[in-house]
């Protein structure tokens, strides 16, 4: 079976939206430092682009949780593969994710991070598939709401490929 990628959101659309979110975050965190927590690997492209557009002081950290692999359905199993390097206690933490799907990963992660005593904890996601939600998650900043389709690009992979696409596409099988 072969596959191809159909463009869903162009590079220009994604860039413009990230700029708008960066502006919003800069206003909301005026006078404070924002500590971005990137969920690897998918969130990394979005986080770098977002961080460049935030004008208040920014610090960064990374964590990695188990995800889909080759399967395109959520297993519901969330495992911390790499934890943060630094404490988030008393920091204004903004979690940066690629996509919220069932919400399982984020609800688990946010609960775990909240227990570590940040001053504030918010969530920013590039993409949201609200139709797919199983567990409720409060998203503070959303790039785009998209329909239920398996997407790649801008950090999102299919079997570890396509992360480097500068746009968001849908994988279609021929
Ligand atoms: P959730 O726990 O919300 O179901 O899933 C979140 C994770 O599933 C994301 O961080 C991402 O790794 C993966 N995921 C969900 N939907 C998609 C998709 O359409 N494409 C890709 N590449 N990954 C997805």
């Amino acid at each position: 079976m072969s596959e191809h990628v159909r463009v869903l959101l162009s590079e220009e659309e994604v860039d413009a939206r990230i700029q708008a979110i960066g502006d919003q975050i800069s206003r909301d965190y005026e006078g404070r430092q924002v500590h971005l927590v990137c969920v690897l690997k998918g969130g990394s492209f979005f986080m770098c682009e977002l961080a460049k557009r935030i004008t208040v002081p920014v610090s960064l950290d990374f964590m990695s949780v188990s995800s889909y692999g080759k399967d395109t359905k959520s297993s519901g199993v969330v495992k911390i593969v790499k934890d943060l390097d630094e404490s988030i206690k008393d920091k204004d933490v903004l979690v940066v994710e690629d996509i919220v799907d069932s919400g399982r990963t984020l609800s688990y992660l946010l609960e775990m991070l909240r227990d570590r005593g940040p001053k504030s904890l918010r969530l920013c996601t590039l993409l949201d598939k609200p139709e797919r939600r199983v567990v409720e998650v409060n998203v503070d900043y959303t790039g785009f709401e998209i329909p239920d389709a398996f997407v790649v690009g801008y950090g999102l992979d299919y079997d570890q490929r396509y992360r480097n696409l500068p746009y968001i596409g849908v994988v279609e099988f021929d």
Side-chain angles (χ1 to χ4, degrees):
M1 198 163 56
S2 65
E3 80 224 21
H4 67 274
V5 179
R6 175 172 55 83
V7 178
L8 181 67
L9 298 162
S10 70
E11 183 172 3
E12 292 71 27
E13 285 176 274
V14 175
D15 284 354
R17 187 68 193 123
I18 296 176
Q19 181 65 55
I21 298 174
D23 292 344
Q24 183 66 50
I25 290 170
S26 303
R27 284 195 292 275
D28 292 352
Y29 287 84
E30 184 71 58
R32 292 188 279 164
Q33 173 167 324
V34 61
H35 188 64
L36 302 182
V37 165
C38 170
V39 185
L40 293 169
K41 302 173 189 168
S44 58
F45 287 67
F46 175 41
M47 192 197 68
C48 292
E49 293 305 316
L50 183 64
K52 289 194 289 186
R53 291 163 172 91
I54 297 175
T55 53
V56 298
V58 168
S59 51
L60 320 165
D61 207 347
F62 299 87
M63 72 189 309
S64 182
V65 298
S66 64
S67 64
Y68 283 52
K70 205 173 173 178
D71 193 355
T72 57
K73 288 209 176 73
S74 178
S75 62
V77 178
V78 179
K79 195 177 82 189
I80 304 277
V81 180
K82 182 218 172 292
D83 207 341
L84 297 171
D85 290 337
E86 290 160 43
S87 164
I88 56 166
K89 191 158 173 44
D90 299 328
K91 292 183 180 165
D92 287 307
V93 174
L94 179 60
V95 175
V96 180
E97 248 293 27
D98 47 7
I99 189 163
V100 184
D101 185 31
S102 72
R104 286 192 183 98
T105 313
L106 262 305
S107 92
Y108 174 87
L109 253 182
L110 290 173
E111 203 174 307
M112 192 199 69
L113 294 176
R114 200 167 287 119
D115 285 347
R116 298 183 183 186
K119 185 154 65 168
S120 66
L121 182 63
R122 286 185 176 175
L123 172 63
C124 177
T125 185
L126 179 59
L127 304 171
D128 188 358
K129 290 197 249 184
E131 285 170 47
R132 299 256 311 160
R133 201 71 93 256
V134 174
V135 181
E136 201 189 316
V137 179
N138 184 36
V139 184
D140 299 284
Y141 304 96
T142 306
F144 302 91
E145 289 194 353
I146 58 166
D148 179 12
F150 192 79
V151 292
V152 293
Y154 238 92
L156 288 154
D157 75 306
Y158 173 62
D159 198 14
Q160 296 305 327
R161 288 175 297 129
Y162 303 126
R163 289 191 197 276
N164 58 319
L165 295 180
Y167 55 87
I168 302 292
V170 178
V171 181
E172 291 179 340
F173 299 94
D174 307 307

